[in-house]
Amino acid sequence: MEKIALITGATAGIGEATAKKFAETGYDLIITGRRKERLEQLKKDLERNSNVKVWALCFDVRDKEAVTKMLNSLPDPWKNIGVLVNNAGLAVGKDPIQEGKIDDWERMIDTNIKGLLYITRTVTPWMVERKKGHIINVASIAGKEVYPAGNVYCATKHAVDALSRAIRLDLVEHGIKVTNIAPGLVETEFSVVRFKGDQDQADKVYEGYKPLLAEDIADVIWFTASRPAHVNIADVLITATAQANSTVVVKND
Ligand code: NDP
Ligand code: 8X3
């Protein structure tokens, strides 16, 4: 196997689009997520359409033991991961701090920060050993700025942004690249998850302008991964043309 990418959160949105993009360009893939049926279907589709090998691992990134056990269960050739895309993540709720639900906060902290760390801690020693690899963290514009009622989600993405910079410092001497990807508003299942299944509330986030699509971010992730060995793209902020920052979006209505 020449090129292997591990993509977390590949059952939907940006992760799924990234898996498709990498498969089209000849990467064998390790895809992860909690929804087993979607993972298995994606594995079948990728193998059929792109003639690559796909390993599907179903686990919750918040489960430290599961992360370690599942990744360590990979056969040795599959541990030669060239690109790790730390994408699994979510927002839950959008409440001012005094009304915030502590369970929501814990889900975001456990998924977006701790989950990313569990994955990274398991995979990086394999990269260090080979003196080669690329870690791509999907952070957010919410890791650059804050917005009203974004409090804990923004804090988790600021943590991802800080980790991208810190991990780069730790791994530079081992020849490992680290890229931080900071998307603005992307129409995926993100808002349905954030608003706990309320599709109408989710739809309103993307009304009146053309939001980014998951494929737009997948293209950028792939671009950063496909640069020559001596080039590292450290940080990319991507928004819809209608979005100027976290709080200014020009809508037609
Ligand atoms: P989606 O909800 O469409 O996809 C999220 C993915 O993360 C799913 O595959 C989901 O898989 C996985 N995931 C969530 N929680 C867990 C968990 N505990 N364990 C394992 N996998 C998990 O959202 P997006 O594609 O939009 O989000 C992907 C990343 O992009 C996130 O980190 C998000 O914060 C970030 N982002 C999104 C933006 C947007 O506007 N959409 C903008 C900026 C950043 P499953 O449910 O099967 O476990
Ligand atoms: C997702 C984008 O603006 O909803 O990270 O926080 S935003």
Side-chain angles (χ1 to χ4, degrees):
M1 291 183 294
E2 278 299 298
K3 298 188 292 184
I4 301 174
L6 163 55
I7 300 168
T8 67
T11 53
I14 294 169
E16 182 179 355
T18 303
K20 289 179 178 162
K21 182 78 190 178
F22 275 64
E24 279 165 20
T25 54
Y27 274 83
D28 292 317
L29 291 174
I30 302 159
I31 52 173
T32 85
R34 290 166 300 179
R35 285 170 286 181
K36 196 170 180 15
E37 274 179 25
R38 284 201 190 194
L39 265 186
E40 292 301 335
Q41 187 59 51
L42 180 62
K43 172 178 156 68
K44 268 191 212 150
D45 294 346
L46 294 171
E47 287 180 334
R48 191 181 46 233
N49 299 336
S50 302
N51 196 28
V52 293
K53 296 190 202 72
V54 180
W55 200 280
L57 294 177
C58 186
F59 61 84
D60 188 324
V61 294
R62 293 171 295 177
D63 183 341
K64 185 171 44 183
E65 277 75 36
V67 171
T68 315
K69 192 171 146 206
M70 296 299 268
L71 292 178
N72 279 308
S73 75
L74 288 166
D76 282 343
W78 280 92
K79 290 180 181 155
N80 293 331
I81 293 163
V83 181
L84 163 61
V85 184
N86 274 319
N87 164 75
L90 78 182
V92 197
K94 197 175 178 198
D95 301 304
I97 199 75
Q98 72 279 12
E99 292 169 18
K101 319 274 179 308
I102 289 177
D103 281 353
D104 293 349
W105 297 355
E106 286 176 345
R107 273 182 71 192
M108 291 187 275
I109 292 166
D110 290 349
T111 308
N112 299 354
I113 307 176
K114 292 166 73 178
L116 178 145
L117 284 169
Y118 300 153
I119 300 275
T120 305
R121 178 63 183 86
T122 309
V123 171
T124 44
W126 304 335
M127 291 182 169
V128 167
E129 199 179 328
R130 294 183 0 262
K131 295 245 167 238
K132 206 174 167 188
H134 191 173
I135 298 170
I136 302 175
N137 291 331
V138 180
S140 171
I141 194 171
K144 308 282 185 196
E145 304 171 40
V146 290
Y147 54 83
N151 44 63
V152 176
Y153 178 68
C154 294
T156 65
K157 290 300 183 176
H158 274 69
V160 174
D161 195 282
L163 282 169
S164 295
R165 284 176 277 136
I167 293 169
R168 190 178 307 115
L169 286 177
D170 292 344
L171 298 181
V172 66
E173 67 183 284
H174 301 288
I176 296 166
K177 304 185 190 191
V178 180
T179 297
N180 191 72
I181 302 282
L185 293 153
V186 189
E187 188 167 12
T188 61
E189 294 174 15
F190 177 85
S191 291
V192 184
V193 171
R194 170 171 242 174
F195 298 118
K196 304 175 184 178
D198 185 336
Q199 187 70 53
D200 290 343
Q201 209 180 347
D203 288 346
K204 286 198 180 74
V205 176
Y206 309 111
E207 271 171 16
Y209 69 105
K210 186 161 176 43
L212 294 170
L213 304 175
E215 289 73 19
D216 298 319
I217 306 305
D219 282 348
V220 175
I221 292 173
W222 179 81
F223 180 81
T224 68
S226 59
R227 294 310 86 206
H230 69 289
V231 178
N232 179 54
I233 298 181
D235 202 337
V236 192
L237 174 67
I238 316 129
T239 65
T241 305
Q243 180 174 19
N245 66 15
S246 267
T247 48
V248 177
V249 181
V250 177
K251 297 201 176 197
N252 294 326
D253 47 346

